[in-house]
Structure formats: structure tokens, C-alpha cells
Amino acid sequence: MKLAAIDIGSNAVRLQITRVLEYEKVITFKKLEYVRFPLRLGHDVFSTGKISDYNQERFFKLMTAYKNLIDLYEIDAFYGCATSAMRESENGNKIVDRVRKELDLPLEIISGQEEAEMINKVILQGLDNGHYIHIDVGGGSTELNIYENHQKVYSRSFKLGSVRTLEGQDTPESWQKMKDWVNEYAFKNSEKITAVGTGGNINKLFELSGSNLKSKKMSLETLMKTQDVLKNLTLEDRLNRLQLNPDRADVIIPASDIYISVMQFAKAKNIIIPDVGLKDGINYYMYQKHYPNSDKVFVKN
């Protein structure tokens, strides 16, 4: 079985094509193709409220390219999800409708809660019965989830994200709402809490930190030191010395502010980086849709 997932974010648009391998009680999602294109829809939306004509055409060309790859791989099931930028755009529905009609691609604009639910499905596969706060930082929004005993017990989406913050469109009220929510829900269980981080920026921060990548864990202290190093570099240094992509080099510091702030609010000393995201959640959603009674355990390859 082959699946294709498109994640239409505020900072980039991703396509992942996956083969599902099944052996005994385990399903493995083996990545066949991954394309990430830096189409920053959030730049338009968070400053003007809609996607420009120029970026509408670029988006349509990108969807045409992705549709060609999907057809070439002869995919069995496909689903595309648009998140914060598209759902806040005045013309988001119109753009998605055009893609559906002209390219026959079933795209959907999903809510922050739906986005969190899809990611939760794959996050939970790798957690034990401990106490966790999941931080998913996108370009336009941040989803927070509290897990206890292998169950999600609280969830909230906030209008804080790497691109939104970079554009100066975050507000003190949004930060205060996030802090108040963490203070209300992160401490109901007396156990110490561990953070779980998803999103392209935390993966890159982890890589830059010099931590043992096999451990999939980083301390708050290490994360803050990594942020300090980045802050002391110019944008040009981040582009050339660290060889960060242009659409990563400018948002990585605002993104790190969100991860660090939530960890400090929750008094979490460590963060786990499982290297999964919405695209993996979409694939798992499609698999469950085709096999609703499956009891197989998911493993990401």
C-alpha cells in the first residue's frame, strides 16, 4: 500500500510518499519520497489577511508538480491538509476549491484541533505512561497537548508561530494566554513533566545542539545555549556558516523562543524530539481509515 500526504503550512509545503510495510503486529511507514518547498504563505496572510495573486499561482504550480509525483507513484490513498495560514486567509477556501476542481486533489483546510489530533496519533505511539507536554510549533500556530497515562487529557491551539512572530503579528495577549493555559493544566498531575517537540525548527535545533541524535532528547539548558549561539550569529552567518535554508535561518530563533517559553512555563527540564510531524499523522490517519480495526503498532522508518 502506498500513501501520499501533503502538509500545507505557513512556512513551507511538504509532500511525503510512503509505503506501508506490515509484519506481524507492526506496521512500518517507509519513506519513498519527500519534498519540502519553501512557499511562505504566512507572510501574505499574517500581514495582509489573504494570499497574494503571485503566491496563488506559485501554489497552484506546486500542487500540479505534487499531483504529477502522486500519479507517477500510483498512490493508493492521498490526503492533503492546509493549516494556519490557509484557514486564516480570506481567499483560502477559494484557492483550495480551485485545486480540488482542476487537479482532482482532495485538499482540506483543517482546524488547529484537527491538526493536533493527527499529530497526536503518531506521537502517542512512542510514549510511555508518563506525564508529557507536547509542543508543536508551526509557522502560524502552536498546538499544546498534555498526556497522562498514554492518553491526551488537555489540548489547545494558540495563534503563535515562527512566521507570525517574525512578522511581528504575535501579541502579548497570546503569550499570556499560553502561559495561563500551561499553568492551569500542566501541574494537575504532581509528577514532573517532560516536553515533546515537533516541527522542523526543533529538529534543526536538536541537530545544531551537538546532542547525541540517537538519544532523541535534549535538555532545556542545551536548547537555550543553542539559541544563544544562533542569536550571536548574523542572518548571513546562519545562511553560510551553518548552511541553513533561507526559510529556516530567519524563523529558527522565534521558534526557539516558543519551545523555551513553554518548557519554562511547564518547568520541563528535557524535551524529546521524535522527528514526526503532520505529514506522518496524515499517513497514519489514512491507514486507520482503510483499516479501522487494525491493532498493529506504528513504527516510523
Side-chain angles (χ1 to χ4, degrees), residues 65-96:
Y66 284 179
K67 177 63 161 57
N68 287 334
L69 274 174
I70 288 167
D71 289 344
L72 284 168
Y73 272 98
E74 299 180 327
I75 296 302
D76 297 297
F78 163 81
Y79 194 52
C81 293
T83 58
S84 182
M86 197 69 81
R87 66 178 171 248
E88 291 184 36
S89 175
E90 293 175 12
N91 52 359
N93 285 311
K94 179 182 174 183
I95 294 167
V96 166

Side-chain angles (χ1 to χ4, degrees), residues 200-246:
N201 285 296
I202 194 64
N203 293 335
K204 181 56 68 174
L205 286 160
F206 183 43
E207 180 185 322
L208 293 172
S209 73
S211 301
N212 179 358
L213 298 184
K214 291 183 179 179
S215 71
K216 295 188 176 182
K217 182 183 283 189
M218 174 170 51
S219 68
L220 173 59
E221 181 182 6
T222 298
L223 176 56
M224 294 175 71
K225 286 180 179 177
T226 304
Q227 186 196 55
D228 285 342
V229 170
L230 291 168
K231 283 183 173 179
N232 287 320
L233 295 175
T234 65
L235 178 61
E236 199 68 23
D237 286 336
R238 281 176 250 146
L239 288 168
N240 296 309
R241 283 176 54 187
L242 299 183
Q243 298 182 20
L244 297 182
N245 291 331

Side-chain angles (χ1 to χ4, degrees), residues 96-135:
V96 166
D97 285 343
R98 180 189 173 192
V99 172
R100 286 195 199 112
K101 291 173 183 176
E102 296 186 29
L103 297 179
D104 193 30
L105 279 179
L107 303 184
E108 297 290 340
I109 300 175
I110 61 173
S111 69
Q113 292 299 320
E114 289 172 313
E115 182 179 353
E117 278 300 319
M118 285 193 177
I119 301 172
N120 286 341
K121 289 181 183 296
V122 291
I123 291 292
L124 280 170
Q125 302 290 330
L127 299 182
D128 58 21
N129 290 331
H131 190 201
Y132 298 94
I133 181 166
H134 171 216
I135 313 163

Side-chain angles (χ1 to χ4, degrees), residues 283-299:
N283 278 324
Y284 191 64
Y285 164 80
M286 286 188 287
Y287 177 83
Q288 286 195 313
K289 196 171 180 180
H290 278 74
Y291 301 101
N293 299 317
S294 174
D295 60 352
K296 293 181 170 63
V297 175
F298 162 78
V299 175

Side-chain angles (χ1 to χ4, degrees), residues 16-19 29-34 279 300-301:
Q16 182 160 306
I17 294 173
T18 300
R19 183 188 296 278
F29 286 4
K30 181 176 177 57
K31 183 169 64 179
L32 300 178
E33 187 77 58
Y34 176 67
K279 62 190 185 306
K300 179 176 179 287
N301 188 302

Side-chain angles (χ1 to χ4, degrees), residues 93-204:
N93 285 311
K94 179 182 174 183
I95 294 167
V96 166
D97 285 343
R98 180 189 173 192
V99 172
R100 286 195 199 112
K101 291 173 183 176
E102 296 186 29
L103 297 179
D104 193 30
L105 279 179
L107 303 184
E108 297 290 340
I109 300 175
I110 61 173
S111 69
Q113 292 299 320
E114 289 172 313
E115 182 179 353
E117 278 300 319
M118 285 193 177
I119 301 172
N120 286 341
K121 289 181 183 296
V122 291
I123 291 292
L124 280 170
Q125 302 290 330
L127 299 182
D128 58 21
N129 290 331
H131 190 201
Y132 298 94
I133 181 166
H134 171 216
I135 313 163
D136 181 63
V137 178
S141 65
T142 294
E143 276 65 51
L144 299 183
N145 304 281
I146 305 289
Y147 301 115
E148 293 175 8
N149 297 317
H150 214 257
Q151 297 288 329
K152 185 188 75 174
V153 290
Y154 306 106
S155 180
R156 179 78 181 269
S157 180
F158 297 88
K159 286 188 176 182
L160 285 170
S162 59
V163 177
R164 194 189 296 272
T165 302
L166 183 70
E167 299 285 339
Q169 299 300 316
D170 58 326
T171 64
E173 290 79 13
S174 294
W175 285 99
Q176 189 61 48
K177 284 179 181 179
M178 178 181 279
K179 182 177 182 179
D180 291 344
W181 188 88
V182 173
N183 286 336
E184 182 175 358
Y185 294 106
F187 303 105
K188 287 183 178 290
N189 186 319
S190 60
E191 294 179 31
K192 292 180 181 179
I193 198 165
T194 299
V196 179
T198 54
N201 285 296
I202 194 64
N203 293 335
K204 181 56 68 174

